[in-house]
Amino acid sequence: MLGLLLALAGGAAQAAPKATERSKQKAVAEAERAGLQQKLSALKRDISQTESAKDNAADTLAESEGAISNANRALRDLAVEQGETNVKLGQLGAEQARLAATVEQQKKQLAKLLREQYVAGNEDRIKLLLSGDNPNRINRDLQMMAYVSQAQARLLESLRANLRAVETNQAEAQNAKDELAEIAAEELQRKALLEQEKGRRATLLATLSKRLVAQRKEAGNVERDEQRMAGLVDKLAKLIEEQAAAAAAEKRRLEQLAAAKAAKAKAEQEARLLARAKAAEAERERLARLKSDKADKAERNKAGSIKPAPPAKLDTIDADEPKLAHKPEARPDTRPDIRPEPKPEPKEEPARAPARAADVALAPAAPAGAFAGLRGQLRAPVAGKLAARFGAKRGDGPSWKGVFIRAAEGSDIHAVAGGRVVFSEWLRGFGNLIIVDHGGQYMSIYGNNQSLLKRAGDVVKGGEAIASAGNSGGNEESGLYFELRHQGRAFDPATWVKF
C-alpha cells in the first residue's frame, strides 16, 4: 500500500538535466549591445577619415592590444560568474538536503497513518452504513474516516509537491554544474588567447620600438592626438544629447498615449453611467404610468357598473391616438412609448505604431549637477606617482590636457564618480581608452589601459574598477593618462581629485 501511494506521489524518478542557459543569455546580451557598438564604430571611422596621417606605428598594436583587453575582461567576468555559480550551487545543495529530510519525514508519517488505519480495521463506509448500529456511532465513525482521508490527501499532496521540488532542485544543480564546466572551458581558451596575444604584442613592440619613440617625439602627432580626443568627446556629447532628446520625446509620447487612454476610459465610463441613469429614470416613469393606468382603469370599471360612460370625443390633436381607456395594458417588459437613448459610442483613436524603446544606452546615469557637487572630494583613479601635470609642456609640443600617473601594469583603475560608460575601445594616441559620462556635460577619461573591464552602456559606481593600468597605444611606461572635461573642454583635475 505504501509503495503504491509513493508511486502515486511521483516516485523517485530522476529528472533529465536541463541544458545550460548561459550561452543563450550571453548571445542576447551581445545582440542588445550590437546597435550601440555600430554607432561608436561609425563615430571612430568618421574621426579617422578626417586625419591626414594614416601611417602610425601604434596602429599596428591596436588589434593585439584590443584582444588582450578583451581577454582580460572576459577572464575577470568569468571569475565573477564562477563565484556566483558556486554560491548558487551551494544554496541548491543546502535546499536539496532540506527537501530530502522533509520527504523522508513525510514518508514516515504516511506509513504510520496507514499502519494505524489498518490496525483500526479500515471499515468500509457502505458496510458501516448497513451495519444497523447506533446512528450516532455511525455518524461519528464516518466523520473520523473523513478526517483520516483528508489528512491522507493533504499529506500526499505535500509529498508530491516536495518530490517535484526535489526534481527541480536536481535539474537546477545539474544546470549550475554544466555552467561551471562551460566557464572553466572558456577560461582555458581565454588564457591561451591572452598568452598568444601578449607574445604577439611583445614581438611587435620589439620591431616597432624605434618608430614608436620617434613618433612620440613629433609635436604634430601629439597635436593630432589631442584633436582626435577633442573630436571624439564632441561627437560623444552630441550623440548623448540626441539620445537624451529621443528619450524625452519617447517619454512624452508614452505619457500622451497614457493620458489619451485614460481620457477615453473616463469618457466611456461617464457614457455608461449616463445611459444607466437615463434607463433607470425611464423605467421609473414607465412604472408610474403603468400604476396610474391601472388605477384609472379600475375607477372607470367601477363607474361603468352604475352608468355606462358616453363615448369620449377625440381631441383634434390626439385624434390619431386611442384614449388610455382603450389602450391594451402594458407589460412590464414592454415600453412602446419610450425608447432608451442610444449609447454614445466613443470616438476611435487612429491606430498608432507600436511603441519603440528609446535608444538611451548612453544617457547619463547620474542627474545633472551631482558631479559638480563633488569638487575637491574625488579620489585618485589609481594609486601611483603623478608624473605629468595638467598644463605642463610636453617637450616641443603642446601642454598636457590631463595628468599621467605611473602605476604597475595590471593595477585596477577606478571610476572617480558614478556615471555611464560612453566609450570603451582602442584609440590612436591613447591605446585602450574608456570614457565615463557623469551628467551635466562632465566626463572623465582614462587612457593607456592594459584592459577595459567595462563596455559602452554600462553603469558604474564611484570607486568601481573599470580598467587595469598598462602602456597601450605605444606609451613607453605603464600607468594611466587621466582627464576631466566639462562641455568638451579639459580642465585641471588637481582642483577636483585628491592625488
Side-chain angles (χ1 to χ4, degrees), residues 21-212:
E21 295 291 326
R22 180 174 171 273
S23 299
K24 188 183 298 184
Q25 291 173 354
K26 287 183 67 176
V28 171
E30 291 301 325
E32 289 175 350
R33 294 181 183 275
L36 176 60
Q37 194 59 45
Q38 288 177 359
K39 289 184 178 181
L40 294 178
S41 298
L43 187 148
K44 266 185 66 177
R45 286 195 302 270
D46 186 37
I47 292 174
S48 299
Q49 288 171 359
T50 63
E51 297 176 351
S52 56
K54 301 294 181 183
D55 184 21
N56 191 295
D59 288 355
T60 311
L61 300 170
E63 183 178 350
S64 179
E65 290 178 344
I68 290 173
S69 172
N70 291 336
N72 276 324
R73 181 178 62 229
L75 285 171
R76 194 179 182 107
D77 292 344
L78 287 170
V80 172
E81 193 175 355
Q82 191 173 40
E84 293 174 347
T85 306
N86 277 321
V87 170
K88 179 181 178 182
L89 194 57
Q91 293 172 344
L92 288 170
E95 179 68 11
Q96 178 73 8
R98 187 192 67 79
L99 286 170
T102 303
V103 167
E104 187 61 28
Q105 183 182 5
Q106 287 178 332
K107 286 180 179 178
K108 291 179 180 178
Q109 289 176 349
L110 188 59
K112 181 181 178 182
L113 189 63
L114 291 173
R115 186 166 52 251
E116 290 176 350
Q117 188 174 0
Y118 175 77
V119 170
N122 191 23
E123 294 185 7
D124 183 75
R125 287 179 172 80
I126 301 298
K127 181 179 177 182
L128 189 62
L129 286 171
L130 298 177
S131 64
D133 202 350
N134 186 337
N136 292 330
R137 179 181 176 279
I138 293 174
N139 183 50
R140 184 175 64 252
D141 289 348
L142 287 174
Q143 286 183 349
M144 288 297 298
M145 293 174 70
Y147 293 150
V148 170
S149 297
Q150 291 171 8
Q152 287 179 348
R154 287 194 298 268
L155 188 56
L156 278 172
E157 182 57 35
S158 178
L159 183 57
R160 288 192 189 100
N162 283 326
L163 288 172
R164 287 194 297 268
V166 167
E167 293 179 356
T168 302
N169 182 283
Q170 290 173 344
E172 289 180 356
Q174 185 60 47
N175 182 70
K177 291 176 182 177
D178 292 343
E179 287 184 353
L180 283 175
E182 188 178 279
I183 290 170
E186 191 171 341
E187 279 182 333
L188 288 175
Q189 294 175 357
R190 292 290 183 177
K191 286 178 180 177
L193 178 61
L194 180 61
E195 293 303 320
Q196 178 183 342
E197 291 299 337
K198 282 183 176 179
R200 180 184 171 198
R201 181 175 183 269
T203 303
L204 289 171
L205 279 174
T207 305
L208 300 170
S209 58
K210 292 183 179 180
R211 287 180 61 194
L212 287 170

Side-chain angles (χ1 to χ4, degrees), residues 5 15 56 171 177 193 206 232 270 293 298 374 390 405 423:
L5 289 173
N56 191 295
K177 291 176 182 177
L193 178 61
L232 174 62
E270 290 177 350
D293 290 347
L374 298 175
F390 178 86
I405 307 171
F423 189 85

